[in-house]
Amino acid sequence: MNELFLLKLGEIVLKGANRWQFENKLKTNVARRMRPFGEFQVHIVQSTVYIEPENEDCDLNGAWDACHYIFGVVSLCRCRPAKKDLDDIFRTAMEYLEDDLRLARSFKVESRRSDKRFPLTSIGISQEIGGRIAEALPQLQVDVHNPEYTVYVEVREHAAYIHGPAEPGAGGLPTGVGGRAMVLLSGGIDSPVAGYMIAKRGVELECVHFFSYPYTSELAKDKVLTLARLMTRYCGRMTVNIVGFTEIQEAIRDNCREEYFTLIMRRFMMRISEKIAHAHGCKCLVTGENLGQVASQTMEAMAVTASCVELPIFTPLIGMDKEEIVTIARKIGTMETSILPYEDCCTVFTPKHPKTKPTKAQVDEACSPLDFDALIARALENTEICKVRYHG
Ligand code: ATP
Ligand code: MG
């Protein structure tokens, strides 16, 4: 086979005795991600995942693109194997990289030799191959300090591998090593980013969305499903639990004091999300909350909201500036969908003067006209489960 991919493991290499579990998970994840693109062999040797196409029918470009979204990989390269002798390494380097080399003014060769039986040292390999390339392409200068292009030669167990500069991987830990989380997914900019950040730590995601038809439209629901689908590019398949929230919002509006509307609504969200989380084996809730961004995101408000559930609520965006969040939203491809102008249920019945420094006692009191358990039970009955998966 004349081209394969090498994926370098990230933080996994810092793991101790349980490292093999992380590696096995990553191997399974990679194999699953490759499946739509043909038959590939996947194995891990010396902190590197090898992905080799088994036949000519594989969609190499599709597979290569998908490799950029696999958590647990710190960098990746496409490479060509050569026999472990200098003539074949040189010939392969020229065949495979000559076009790239011709675009550069200077280059160097960087070598690594994990097979210590190979007669030359890394420096020896670099000098020998670098010298031959410089001779073959006289317009190209050798520059070992600041080259425009670097040729890499890795002499490993079964072959030597030749490649150009590696590309950054998705980072993080392999999906599935860190359990499962329930993301409260609105249609905004923040919550998809929050979900992505938790997913990056090796966590599988499920989502819950609160939907207040007719105050929020079918388009708002489609938007959330689109966002979820975009997230699955990184975190794999998930379910979005769409909870009918209209009755609860109307009950709050009709029975509670206006300045507490949002806080009470958020308590319902947490309680319902916790129940759905238990049903899906999720061990935490995740929100896109961000300190000081809106009235319900003060320390006091967040404490009062969190006090009605036992699961931990993770808020990975808590200390970030909007600009930092937007940069990630653009990188993961959710930004354009997030800014489509559909209502969120949070913007329905927003109080004119929301309470920003509530106490738990005040909110308990403000909630007292409502039968939480009955309203929650009906909302759960009124939940639609949508499965989403990535498809191009
Ligand atoms: P986002 O950009 O994610 O919508 P936001 O800055 O607009 O966040 P809020 O609307 O106050 O902030 O919501 C805070 C968090 O509560 C959201 O990040 C999300 O996790 C959750 N949330 C808000 N509305 C909904 C909803 N309709 N369904 C599910 N979760 C929601
Ligand atoms: Mg919002």
Side-chain angles (χ1 to χ4, degrees), residues 186-191 293 297 344 346-347:
S186 69
I189 297 169
D190 301 335
S191 44
Q293 196 184 80
Q297 294 172 18
D344 178 62
C346 287
T347 50

PDB file of all heavy atoms in Angstrom, residues 186-191 293 297 344 346-347, ligand 2:
ATOM      1  N   SER A 186     -28.936  24.916  24.055  1.00  0.00           N
ATOM      2  CA  SER A 186     -29.873  25.925  23.558  1.00  0.00           C
ATOM      3  C   SER A 186     -29.500  26.160  22.103  1.00  0.00           C
ATOM      4  O   SER A 186     -28.667  25.459  21.561  1.00  0.00           O
ATOM      5  CB  SER A 186     -29.713  27.205  24.363  1.00  0.00           C
ATOM      6  OG  SER A 186     -28.469  27.794  24.060  1.00  0.00           O
ATOM      7  N   GLY A 187     -30.069  27.157  21.483  1.00  0.00           N
ATOM      8  CA  GLY A 187     -29.669  27.426  20.099  1.00  0.00           C
ATOM      9  C   GLY A 187     -28.569  28.468  20.030  1.00  0.00           C
ATOM     10  O   GLY A 187     -28.236  28.942  18.949  1.00  0.00           O
ATOM     11  N   GLY A 188     -27.992  28.830  21.186  1.00  0.00           N
ATOM     12  CA  GLY A 188     -27.044  29.954  21.203  1.00  0.00           C
ATOM     13  C   GLY A 188     -25.628  29.563  20.823  1.00  0.00           C
ATOM     14  O   GLY A 188     -25.359  28.454  20.358  1.00  0.00           O
ATOM     15  N   ILE A 189     -24.725  30.500  21.055  1.00  0.00           N
ATOM     16  CA  ILE A 189     -23.319  30.285  20.710  1.00  0.00           C
ATOM     17  C   ILE A 189     -22.630  29.417  21.768  1.00  0.00           C
ATOM     18  O   ILE A 189     -21.769  28.588  21.460  1.00  0.00           O
ATOM     19  CB  ILE A 189     -22.575  31.650  20.619  1.00  0.00           C
ATOM     20  CG1 ILE A 189     -23.162  32.495  19.486  1.00  0.00           C
ATOM     21  CG2 ILE A 189     -21.074  31.452  20.414  1.00  0.00           C
ATOM     22  CD1 ILE A 189     -22.681  33.940  19.484  1.00  0.00           C
ATOM     23  N   ASP A 190     -23.038  29.608  23.022  1.00  0.00           N
ATOM     24  CA  ASP A 190     -22.234  29.072  24.126  1.00  0.00           C
ATOM     25  C   ASP A 190     -22.373  27.569  24.361  1.00  0.00           C
ATOM     26  O   ASP A 190     -21.373  26.881  24.555  1.00  0.00           O
ATOM     27  CB  ASP A 190     -22.603  29.809  25.427  1.00  0.00           C
ATOM     28  CG  ASP A 190     -22.353  31.302  25.311  1.00  0.00           C
ATOM     29  OD1 ASP A 190     -21.499  31.695  24.495  1.00  0.00           O
ATOM     30  OD2 ASP A 190     -23.010  32.068  26.030  1.00  0.00           O
ATOM     31  N   SER A 191     -23.605  27.073  24.394  1.00  0.00           N
ATOM     32  CA  SER A 191     -23.744  25.680  24.837  1.00  0.00           C
ATOM     33  C   SER A 191     -23.092  24.647  23.900  1.00  0.00           C
ATOM     34  O   SER A 191     -22.519  23.671  24.414  1.00  0.00           O
ATOM     35  CB  SER A 191     -25.203  25.341  25.143  1.00  0.00           C
ATOM     36  OG  SER A 191     -26.069  25.827  24.171  1.00  0.00           O
ATOM     37  N   GLN A 293     -22.326  37.082  32.342  1.00  0.00           N
ATOM     38  CA  GLN A 293     -22.820  37.361  30.980  1.00  0.00           C
ATOM     39  C   GLN A 293     -24.250  37.881  30.982  1.00  0.00           C
ATOM     40  O   GLN A 293     -24.575  38.806  30.238  1.00  0.00           O
ATOM     41  CB  GLN A 293     -22.710  36.101  30.127  1.00  0.00           C
ATOM     42  CG  GLN A 293     -22.820  36.377  28.647  1.00  0.00           C
ATOM     43  CD  GLN A 293     -22.801  35.089  27.829  1.00  0.00           C
ATOM     44  OE1 GLN A 293     -23.809  34.400  27.717  1.00  0.00           O
ATOM     45  NE2 GLN A 293     -21.676  34.769  27.244  1.00  0.00           N
ATOM     46  N   GLN A 297     -26.502  34.557  35.417  1.00  0.00           N
ATOM     47  CA  GLN A 297     -25.153  33.984  35.491  1.00  0.00           C
ATOM     48  C   GLN A 297     -24.259  34.745  36.471  1.00  0.00           C
ATOM     49  O   GLN A 297     -23.056  34.911  36.245  1.00  0.00           O
ATOM     50  CB  GLN A 297     -24.549  33.874  34.085  1.00  0.00           C
ATOM     51  CG  GLN A 297     -25.341  32.865  33.243  1.00  0.00           C
ATOM     52  CD  GLN A 297     -24.961  32.802  31.783  1.00  0.00           C
ATOM     53  OE1 GLN A 297     -23.899  33.253  31.381  1.00  0.00           O
ATOM     54  NE2 GLN A 297     -25.849  32.250  30.971  1.00  0.00           N
ATOM     55  N   ASP A 344     -35.095  31.713  21.611  1.00  0.00           N
ATOM     56  CA  ASP A 344     -34.841  30.627  22.557  1.00  0.00           C
ATOM     57  C   ASP A 344     -35.875  30.771  23.657  1.00  0.00           C
ATOM     58  O   ASP A 344     -36.376  31.866  23.914  1.00  0.00           O
ATOM     59  CB  ASP A 344     -33.425  30.756  23.129  1.00  0.00           C
ATOM     60  CG  ASP A 344     -33.142  29.663  24.150  1.00  0.00           C
ATOM     61  OD1 ASP A 344     -33.168  28.491  23.760  1.00  0.00           O
ATOM     62  OD2 ASP A 344     -32.916  29.979  25.321  1.00  0.00           O
ATOM     63  N   CYS A 346     -35.501  30.920  26.637  1.00  0.00           N
ATOM     64  CA  CYS A 346     -35.050  31.844  27.692  1.00  0.00           C
ATOM     65  C   CYS A 346     -35.501  33.270  27.415  1.00  0.00           C
ATOM     66  O   CYS A 346     -35.565  34.096  28.315  1.00  0.00           O
ATOM     67  CB  CYS A 346     -33.527  31.864  27.781  1.00  0.00           C
ATOM     68  SG  CYS A 346     -32.871  30.395  28.495  1.00  0.00           S
ATOM     69  N   THR A 347     -35.740  33.580  26.146  1.00  0.00           N
ATOM     70  CA  THR A 347     -36.094  34.957  25.825  1.00  0.00           C
ATOM     71  C   THR A 347     -37.611  35.169  25.872  1.00  0.00           C
ATOM     72  O   THR A 347     -38.096  36.273  25.690  1.00  0.00           O
ATOM     73  CB  THR A 347     -35.558  35.350  24.427  1.00  0.00           C
ATOM     74  OG1 THR A 347     -35.962  34.332  23.505  1.00  0.00           O
ATOM     75  CG2 THR A 347     -34.058  35.462  24.434  1.00  0.00           C
TER      76      THR A 347
HETATM   77 MG    MG B   2     -29.301  31.288  25.205  1.00  0.00          MG
END
